[in-house]
Amino acid sequence: MGREDNLRRRAWQGVVIEYYDFISVNNEKLKLPPVSLQEGNTPLIESVSLVKELKEFGFSGKIYFKHEGLNPTSSFKDRGMAVAVTRARDSNAQAIICASTGNTSASASAYGARAKIPVIIVVPEKGVTIGKLVQAIAHGAVMIRVKGNFDSALQLARKVAEDFSLFIVNSINPWRIEGQKTASLEICDALGFAPDYHFIPVGNAGNIYSYWIGYKQYKEIGRIDMLPKMYGFQAEGAAPIVKGHPISDPQTIASAIRIGNPANWERAILAKEESEGIIDTVSDDEILKAYKFMGEKEGIFCELSSAASVAGLIKMVKKKSTQKDAVVVCTLTGHGLKDPQAVIDFIPPKEAIIEPSFKAIKNLIQEIIPQKIEKSQSSALQET
Ligand code: F0G
């Protein structure tokens, strides 16, 4: 076997190849090789700080973060998009279309570019973060900005996809769900079992359902013995499933889940009921606290929307709604760099402006860490 074969063998090949035998909508065989950016295989990072904080409230279990922000376009969408766009190319699709709060459109744009299929994205005129918008632009997608919210964008995208026979890659597309479920398969492969609880943000509600069918599939084939309880969280101002009716003007700082009428509503309820889980709300304040905690205390920079899962866990542990010694996984759905403005708006920097002299920086550092500086002062530090 040559050098190239060895390289290829070692590299992760993306979810379509790695989980080929598990992804089966109607068992259609592929004609062409998969469209892939080597998505998936994301880290399952054990908590070092949150787990300590929650001890105070009686929690003695383990917490893991499934960091989906480390996918190729920095969100979980890449898993489903790899499968959906693979199918789009296999079926000779003329163009791909999606509505989005930003991450689906960023992912569709990247995978469409790779597959050489034109991409049309339909996004709310306002509220899509700059990081997500520039991804779509960089990948050359056509962007239609709707003077409305995600729900109206999705309605338009669905209608136009039907009328013009465009390949829609929202999570109403079964291939998206098939791809996204690979995250729960990876968690079980990494742990050797399923967690007791799975915490996840809920927006259009495709992801909670995807994880659930992934877990169920592994249980059916005997890879795991027990199923987790699915704990989904919506933002308080955008919580149609919790409130039991669509919200016409959803509001939250977590723009990715600012959705008032989720397309996968019933499926989310199914995941909740079958798993004996819950779908609950977290406030913007709770989301923000969890977001800051993740950055400052866990070293993980995630999106505001992603922090809804962590906020949910904190809320449930405080309410004693989780088993004390449970193994918990929180999905972090997107990377914090998607939304630099959130940091600017919500986290004051620890910074100082100084003259370019050693004296100025020395004084400043002495103020911050007086003992350490005195001890470590050496001749190598020359005044300039
Ligand atoms: N977290 C992030 C970062 C998201 O982008 C989304 C959804 C969710 C959570 C919720 O996942 O919709 O499967 O319940 N973003 C979609 C988009 C709506 O257009 O990018 P869900």
Side-chain angles (χ1 to χ4, degrees):
M1 207 171 258
R3 213 162 73 120
E4 282 209 358
D5 291 321
N6 263 332
L7 278 177
R8 222 172 281 134
R9 232 165 2 123
R10 273 198 307 275
W12 174 265
Q13 309 216 38
V15 297
V16 179
I17 290 188
E18 300 289 342
Y19 288 103
Y20 194 82
D21 293 336
F22 297 88
I23 298 169
S24 56
V25 176
N26 307 328
N27 287 324
E28 290 166 47
K29 285 261 172 294
L30 281 179
K31 291 182 230 116
L32 295 167
V35 181
S36 175
L37 290 162
Q38 295 182 11
E39 60 293 320
N41 198 24
T42 55
L44 187 65
I45 307 169
E46 188 168 352
S47 163
V48 287
S49 296
L50 184 61
V51 76
K52 278 203 185 128
E53 296 273 320
L54 294 182
K55 267 204 176 113
E56 207 187 300
F57 300 95
F59 184 79
S60 60
K62 280 185 182 290
I63 301 167
Y64 295 91
F65 304 110
K66 182 70 172 160
H67 195 346
E68 289 292 282
L70 296 178
N71 272 300
T73 77
S74 307
S75 87
F76 71 95
K77 305 288 181 178
D78 295 338
R79 294 177 183 277
M81 209 54 74
V83 183
V85 175
T86 290
R87 284 294 166 189
R89 191 171 66 175
D90 240 42
S91 58
N92 261 324
Q94 296 299 295
I96 287 165
I97 190 166
C98 68
S100 183
T101 56
N103 278 328
T104 301
S105 52
S107 185
S109 305
Y111 282 82
R114 195 152 178 93
K116 301 186 179 68
I117 306 174
V119 177
I120 302 162
I121 65 168
V122 189
V123 293
E125 186 196 8
K126 293 191 185 121
V128 178
T129 70
I130 189 74
K132 300 172 189 180
L133 279 182
V134 296
Q135 286 181 290
I137 297 167
H139 294 303
V142 173
M143 186 151 64
I144 300 173
R145 301 174 74 166
V146 180
K147 292 181 179 176
N149 58 26
F150 169 82
D151 302 294
S152 49
L154 181 58
Q155 226 175 5
L156 290 173
R158 287 178 90 151
K159 179 89 179 76
V160 85
E162 224 175 272
D163 282 11
F164 289 86
S165 296
L166 304 175
F167 195 95
I168 191 158
V169 293
N170 281 103
S171 52
I172 46 172
N173 181 324
W175 296 112
R176 277 278 313 279
I177 304 288
E178 285 291 299
Q180 280 170 214
K181 83 181 176 191
T182 59
S184 55
L185 308 185
E186 279 178 20
I187 291 168
C188 299
D189 289 341
L191 292 175
F193 52 86
D196 297 306
Y197 298 90
H198 192 115
F199 284 75
I200 190 163
V202 174
N204 212 24
N207 214 23
I208 188 171
Y209 176 71
S210 306
Y211 272 82
W212 179 238
I213 62 163
Y215 283 126
K216 281 207 301 185
Q217 190 171 356
Y218 258 17
K219 172 101 182 347
E220 270 158 33
I221 61 162
R223 284 266 184 118
I224 54 170
D225 302 327
M226 303 267 293
L227 290 165
K229 292 187 193 306
M230 300 301 298
Y231 275 34
F233 288 86
Q234 302 197 292
E236 218 164 68
I241 300 176
V242 182
K243 303 241 158 90
H245 57 81
I247 309 287
S248 58
D249 185 21
Q251 294 297 341
T252 168
I253 53 167
S255 62
I257 53 172
R258 194 181 290 150
I259 294 173
N261 194 9
N264 298 292
W265 190 316
E266 283 80 24
R267 289 167 150 188
I269 303 270
L270 187 102
K272 176 192 97 160
E273 286 180 352
E274 283 188 353
S275 75
E276 295 170 13
I278 57 161
I279 296 181
D280 198 355
T281 61
V282 278
S283 67
D284 278 4
D285 195 42
E286 288 169 314
I287 290 174
L288 201 50
K289 278 199 185 117
Y291 168 77
K292 285 184 185 166
F293 187 94
M294 289 304 292
E296 290 172 4
K297 302 286 196 289
E298 293 282 3
I300 301 175
F301 185 26
C302 66
E303 271 195 57
L304 282 166
S305 304
S306 309
S309 65
V310 180
L313 170 61
I314 298 169
K315 180 175 173 180
M316 288 300 116
V317 169
K318 284 185 177 171
K319 273 177 65 181
K320 312 262 185 265
S321 300
T322 47
Q323 204 185 301
K324 277 186 196 160
D325 58 351
V327 174
V328 171
V329 172
C330 294
T331 298
L332 304 176
T333 43
H335 199 287
L337 283 171
K338 291 271 191 177
D339 187 7
Q341 194 60 42
V343 180
I344 293 161
D345 289 347
F346 300 121
I347 310 180
K350 294 170 191 147
E351 65 174 357
I353 297 171
I354 60 160
E355 293 302 325
S357 79
F358 181 68
K359 198 161 172 237
I361 196 164
K362 191 177 118 185
N363 287 345
L364 186 73
I365 290 182
Q366 262 172 338
E367 252 176 62
I368 307 163
I369 37 171
Q371 301 93 344
K372 273 191 203 158
I373 274 287
E374 266 156 40
K375 263 192 225 155
S376 65
Q377 237 170 11
S378 76
S379 57
L381 291 175
Q382 298 292 330
E383 207 149 329
T384 52

